Amino acid sequence: HPPDQRVCSCDRAARKMAGPVIVPRNFVLLDELEKGEKGIGDGSVSYGLADGNDMTLTNWNGMIVGPGGCGLEGRILSLVISCGNEYPDKPPSVRFVSRVNLSFVDQRTGAVDPRGVGIIAQWNRQYNLEQLLQALRREMCSSSNRRQPQPPDGTSFT
């Protein structure tokens, strides 16, 4: 074999022994921060650090523009997202600041019930904050939420 093929087969063997590369939490969150600052997708969701000095990258603000065809159409909805020490292996906790009447949101606190949103219930480290916000936005138009009466625009959970 030419020398370069031997190196290549050794490299393949080394990769098999090492297993998948697990990217550390802070690197994952720094990548998400960069994507969030650049602006993502069609502008229907956005996110960023709640405090630019938060070196732990734990507390985030999220925004969802209410989708068409439901009672939240065109509203700008604010959320807070907390990425704990086990993120991205465990999902973040999410709470609506803007008052909404949705089947997966606790009506006293605004907390999102992880069992009520598929992406959170089936979370894996391949998911990210953008996908989470997009999933919440899609769920707003589900059959169980589309026709729900909504509180006045601009009201908040306390």
Side-chain angles (χ1 to χ4, degrees), residues 16-152:
K16 280 183 183 177
M17 287 189 298
V21 175
I22 305 296
V23 179
R25 174 189 182 275
N26 280 8
F27 290 176
V28 170
L29 287 169
L30 284 169
D31 185 53
E32 293 205 49
L33 178 61
E34 183 179 339
K35 289 177 184 167
E37 287 177 340
K38 286 181 181 174
I40 47 178
D42 60 5
S44 62
V45 301
S46 66
Y47 61 90
L49 274 178
D51 175 1
N53 295 320
D54 177 7
M55 295 318 215
T56 66
L57 306 172
T58 299
N59 298 308
W60 298 71
N61 291 325
M63 184 277 304
I64 299 174
V65 176
C70 71
L72 296 167
E73 184 171 350
R75 292 189 190 186
I76 296 179
L77 306 170
S78 298
L79 305 92
V80 290
I81 304 164
S82 179
C83 297
N85 290 334
E86 295 186 65
Y87 183 87
D89 294 310
K90 302 281 185 199
S93 63
V94 183
R95 186 177 64 79
F96 276 85
V97 174
S98 302
R99 188 169 281 283
V100 293
N101 182 22
L102 299 166
S103 62
F104 57 91
V105 176
D106 183 305
Q107 291 305 300
R108 292 167 311 185
T109 65
V112 172
D113 180 351
R115 298 165 300 186
V117 181
I119 192 172
I120 302 174
Q122 299 163 0
W123 188 266
N124 71 61
R125 76 174 1 257
Q126 303 307 313
Y127 293 136
N128 60 43
L129 297 179
E130 176 186 5
Q131 291 168 316
L132 170 64
L133 292 170
Q134 288 289 1
L136 292 173
R137 187 171 191 269
R138 279 190 303 277
E139 190 60 35
M140 292 174 185
C141 285
S142 71
S143 58
S144 59
N145 290 308
R146 178 179 297 128
R147 305 251 184 271
Q148 291 283 355
Q150 295 298 327

Side-chain angles (χ1 to χ4, degrees), residues 1-17:
H1 295 297
D4 59 326
Q5 285 182 346
R6 283 193 305 268
V7 169
C8 194
S9 66
C10 292
D11 184 44
R12 278 194 301 270
R15 273 189 261 143
K16 280 183 183 177
M17 287 189 298

